[in-house]
C-alpha cells in the first residue's frame, strides 16, 4: 500500500446552531492511508493550522504538566481546552491529539478570524454534560474549524488559501501520493 492521501468535499460537521446554515464555510475532508498515519497527520496539521488556535479534546490521556504549564488551558469535566500560540506548543501537544484520534476520540481545533484568540467563555456553557458543543461561539468569530478523527481531518473554513481541495494540495507533504480516484479535484 502506498503512503496515500485523498481530499474530498465534506458535509457539515458543526454542532452549534450558529453554523448550521452558514454557506460561507467550505467543507473538505483529508484522509490518509494507515501507513505512517501519525507522521502524516502531524505534518498536515502543522501546515494547515494557524496560531493562536484553540484545541478541544477529551483528556483520555493526561497532558504532561511541563507541557500544560507552557500554555493557557482550562478543564471542563473531562474536556481539556488549550490555547496554542505557536508551532512549538502545537508540536508538544500533537502526540496526545494523535493518541486520542487513534482511540476514536475526536479533537477540535478552532482558529479565530484575523488570527484572534477566541475567549474560553465563548466555547462552552456551564451545563455541559457529555457532548462537546459550542453554543456561545458565533460563525463570525471563526475562520477555520478542524475536526481530527482516526481516519483524517475535516476542515470547515472561510480561509481563502484553504477553502477547496485543490488549494489544500500545496499543504500536503511531498512524500505522500494523491489518490486521484478518491479525491474531488
Amino acid at each position: 500500500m502506498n503512503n496515500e492521501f485523498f481530499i474530498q468535499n465534506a458535509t457539515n460537521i458543526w454542532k452549534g446552531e450558529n453554523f448550521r446554515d452558514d454557506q460561507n464555510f467550505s467543507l473538505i475532508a483529508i484522509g490518509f492511508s494507515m501507513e505512517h498515519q501519525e507522521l502524516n497527520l502531524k505534518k498536515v496539521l502543522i501546515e494547515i493550522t494557524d496560531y493562536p488556535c484553540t484545541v478541544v479534546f477529551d483528556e483520555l490521556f493526561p497532558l504532561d504538566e511541563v507541557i500544560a504549564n507552557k500554555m493557557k488551558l482550562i478543564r471542563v469535566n473531562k474536556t481539556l481546552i488549550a490555547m496554542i500560540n505557536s508551532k512549538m506548543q502545537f508540536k508538544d501537544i500533537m502526540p496526545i491529539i494523535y493518541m486520542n484520534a487513534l482511540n476514536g476520540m475526536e479533537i477540535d481545533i478552532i482558529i479565530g478570524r484575523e488570527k484572534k484568540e477566541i475567549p474560553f467563555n465563548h466555547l462552552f456553557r456551564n451545563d455541559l454534560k457529555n457532548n462537546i458543543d459550542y453554543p456561545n461561539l458565533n460563525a463570525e468569530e471563526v475562520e477555520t474549524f478542524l475536526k481530527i478523527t482516526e481516519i483524517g481531518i475535516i476542515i470547515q473554513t472561510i480561509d481563502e488559501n484553504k477553502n477547496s481541495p485543490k488549494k489544500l494540495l500545496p499543504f500536503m507533504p511531498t512524500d505522500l501520493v494523491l489518490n486521484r480516484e478518491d479525491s474531488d479535484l
Side-chain angles (χ1 to χ4, degrees), residues 28-44:
I28 306 154
I30 302 172
F32 305 101
S33 64
M34 293 307 287
E35 188 178 327
H36 308 295
Q37 188 178 22
E38 178 181 7
L39 186 60
N40 295 333
L41 182 64
K42 180 178 179 179
K43 284 179 185 178
V44 172

Side-chain angles (χ1 to χ4, degrees), residues 78-95:
K78 291 184 178 188
T79 302
L80 186 73
I81 307 167
M83 183 60 63
I84 308 297
N85 290 306
S86 69
K87 192 178 279 193
M88 187 51 119
Q89 284 181 336
F90 193 78
K91 286 179 180 179
D92 285 344
I93 204 169
M94 190 61 214

Side-chain angles (χ1 to χ4, degrees), residues 43-102:
K43 284 179 185 178
V44 172
L45 278 175
I46 286 172
E47 288 300 315
I48 64 174
T49 302
D50 295 312
Y51 310 95
C53 67
T54 304
V55 180
V56 181
F57 59 94
D58 190 344
E59 200 171 11
L60 183 62
F61 302 97
L63 185 61
D64 181 271
E65 285 305 313
V66 173
I67 292 171
N69 290 333
K70 293 180 185 177
M71 59 190 75
K72 188 164 91 176
L73 57 87
I74 61 171
R75 287 176 171 91
V76 177
N77 296 334
K78 291 184 178 188
T79 302
L80 186 73
I81 307 167
M83 183 60 63
I84 308 297
N85 290 306
S86 69
K87 192 178 279 193
M88 187 51 119
Q89 284 181 336
F90 193 78
K91 286 179 180 179
D92 285 344
I93 204 169
M94 190 61 214
I96 293 196
I97 290 173
Y98 180 71
M99 288 304 296
N100 273 15
L102 192 63

